[in-house]
Amino acid sequence: MFYSILLAGGLSSRMGEDKAYLEFDGQSLLQAGLNLLKDIDSELILLSGRSGYPESVPDILEQCGPPGGLYACLQYLLKIDKLDDSPLLILPVDMPRLKPEILETLLANISEQQGCHFAGEIFPCVLRASEKLRAYLEQIFDESHELGGKRSMRAVLDFCKSKQVLKDSLKSEFFKNINTPEDYEKLLLAE
């Protein structure tokens, strides 16, 4: 049993338009991410930073990046009595080349760990839906809402002592995300 978060609440400032609605392979990046999580049988899929969808979780803290979205989702899980240390698969909306087997590899490596991610990558990652993690995020955001440092996903992975999973034969293009119009153009040309 595991839960999932699709992080889809960013400003898309470098893109100049909402990345979640960019089309790739006949569907929006948002729909592709949701479909990917459905394909791997996530028990609960949370959509961070969006409204109008089932299991949408609005941001509690404005413009606090992925850690802020994670915090809002953990607060939601607490409210529905599912903050139970289950694995929590986290991926951003802007990684359209991820495949089910990549996510399944991560889930298979969580074991008794508090987190795991691929070596050299932040996303996708798996963290435990724990009170300890929720309290940590609450504390760092009580101190400040300024991004970076302790308020980065890298710091969250460090806090969880996240295990690094080797990529082995996985191609680096699977892990590319779309941040700029140039990134999007390259993605479409490579199709």
Side-chain angles (χ1 to χ4, degrees):
M1 175 182 80
F2 67 96
Y3 312 136
S4 299
I5 297 175
L6 181 61
L7 297 168
L11 295 175
S12 299
S13 53
R14 289 181 281 172
M15 179 59 70
E17 63 182 291
D18 192 341
K19 291 190 281 190
Y21 297 110
L22 293 175
E23 292 284 322
F24 177 69
D25 208 18
Q27 59 187 335
S28 69
L29 296 184
L30 178 62
Q31 194 57 56
L34 291 171
N35 289 343
L36 177 61
L37 294 173
K38 288 175 189 167
D39 287 348
I40 60 168
D41 295 326
S42 180
E43 180 177 315
L44 175 67
I45 299 170
L46 301 178
L47 182 56
S48 170
R50 293 282 157 171
S51 60
Y53 292 85
E55 306 302 341
S56 291
V57 178
D59 289 335
I60 296 171
L61 307 168
E62 293 295 316
Q63 299 180 22
C64 284
L70 173 59
Y71 175 66
C73 289
L74 290 170
Q75 288 290 93
Y76 178 81
L77 289 171
L78 178 65
K79 221 185 310 185
I80 64 168
D81 203 27
K82 288 191 180 281
L83 198 61
D84 56 9
D85 286 340
S86 290
L88 182 59
L89 175 64
I90 306 164
L91 63 137
V93 74
D94 63 359
M95 292 181 80
R97 293 193 180 268
L98 288 175
K99 305 280 184 223
E101 53 272 16
I102 295 171
L103 303 179
E104 289 162 353
T105 296
L106 269 184
L107 288 162
N109 275 278
I110 188 69
S111 183
E112 299 302 313
Q113 306 289 322
Q114 290 301 303
C116 67
H117 65 283
F118 286 105
E121 305 292 340
I122 301 292
F123 293 113
C125 62
V126 178
L127 302 174
R128 293 270 173 202
S130 69
E131 172 56 27
K132 182 179 176 183
L133 178 56
R134 190 208 63 77
Y136 167 76
L137 290 167
E138 183 172 74
Q139 177 205 340
I140 64 171
F141 284 120
D142 279 349
E143 292 170 9
S144 170
H145 290 189
E146 185 178 329
L147 293 180
K150 290 192 288 188
R151 285 163 296 283
S152 69
M153 280 306 293
R154 186 171 308 282
V156 171
L157 293 173
D158 289 346
F159 170 79
C160 294
K161 296 179 177 60
S162 183
K163 171 186 172 183
Q164 291 193 40
V165 177
L166 297 178
K167 290 183 194 171
D168 294 327
S169 62
L170 294 175
K171 298 176 186 169
S172 62
E173 69 225 30
F174 292 141
F175 299 95
K176 290 198 188 297
N177 62 343
I178 311 299
N179 285 314
T180 65
E182 293 77 25
D183 293 340
Y184 184 49
E185 188 176 320
K186 284 179 192 172
L187 175 74
L188 295 176
L189 289 174
E191 208 176 348

